[in-house]
Amino acid sequence: MEKGSGTLRSWGGLGAWTAYVLAVAAAAGFASVVSLAQGAVVAPGSEEAVATQTVGAAGAFALVALLCLLTGVFEEGVFRVLALDALGLACGSDSRGRVRAAFASAALFGLLHVSVGDVASASGVVSCAQLLLKPVQAGLFGLFMAAMYLRMRNLWTLAGVHAAFNLLSAGPLLLGGGVLQTYVTGSGSDLALLAVTTALLVPAAIAAVVRIR
């Protein structure tokens, strides 16, 4: 069993791909900042602006980072350590069984990223496309993380990668107060960003399946 030693090569054979996935997240976060700057700017009297003034920029960043870390620990603990191990017992320990378990856990992870509110918000072509693409995007990320877990068996490394992905991709919007309660916004630019990041995660997911086998 390979353990992470801090170098990219040692990360279960997925070190370079981990850097790639985080680069995709950073690009998504940057694009979100550009979109926010061009559109919804936080008003000086809004709740987000008041909160930032109260805790300061450093405090706001610390809160967002903590939120991302807690999310990473929770989701990796549930979907990888618990669900993937349980699915592994059901699917078998051979390579095909591991692949099936990884796909099943990734599908579950993706589907649970869509809420009843998201479904209710879908009313047009763009919003319906967002509704369909979001679980695919999350599922591809989940498949990559499943491969990392099967190769490394290290919750804390996975939680750190997951937290970094969330911080890079959603952190800028969280800090800017531009995050909505649903992925289904009906915005063409939001759909384009979702589609691009989904496509960019496909190579990493393919590499993950190869490593699992």
Side-chain angles (χ1 to χ4, degrees):
M1 183 185 304
E2 295 186 39
K3 297 286 185 181
S5 63
T7 62
L8 290 179
R9 280 188 170 185
S10 68
W11 284 31
L14 290 167
W17 282 108
T18 301
Y20 170 83
V21 168
L22 294 181
V24 171
F30 176 78
S32 298
V33 169
V34 172
S35 177
L36 183 65
Q38 293 176 344
V41 178
V42 180
S46 67
E47 290 184 9
E48 294 84 358
V50 172
T52 301
Q53 293 169 2
T54 301
V55 302
F61 180 82
L63 289 174
V64 170
L66 179 61
L67 174 63
C68 291
L69 179 59
L70 292 176
T71 301
V73 172
F74 174 76
E75 293 190 347
E76 292 306 316
V78 171
F79 291 101
R80 253 61 73 181
V81 176
L82 297 179
L84 189 53
D85 279 351
L87 288 166
L89 293 175
C91 296
S93 59
D94 61 347
S95 61
R96 289 185 178 181
R98 290 195 299 271
V99 170
R100 286 195 295 268
F103 269 100
S105 67
L108 180 63
F109 181 70
L111 288 173
L112 290 181
H113 272 73
V114 177
S115 67
V116 175
D118 294 326
V119 176
S121 300
S123 58
V125 175
V126 173
S127 58
C128 286
Q130 289 177 310
L131 184 66
L132 294 173
L133 268 180
K134 183 57 193 180
V136 175
Q137 182 207 49
L140 291 170
F141 178 73
L143 186 58
F144 180 80
M145 298 305 290
M148 283 194 69
Y149 178 66
L150 290 173
R151 297 282 292 178
M152 301 179 68
R153 300 287 180 178
N154 189 323
L155 168 63
W156 301 111
T157 299
L158 268 70
V161 172
H162 195 138
F165 184 92
N166 287 349
L167 183 61
L168 289 170
S169 60
L173 279 181
L174 287 170
L175 290 170
V179 173
L180 299 177
Q181 295 302 312
T182 175
Y183 296 110
V184 183
T185 63
S187 166
S189 59
D190 289 345
L191 174 60
L193 180 58
L194 179 59
V196 170
T197 54
T198 300
L200 289 174
L201 287 174
V202 170
I206 294 174
V209 173
V210 172
R211 296 304 189 281
I212 294 172
R213 287 178 174 173

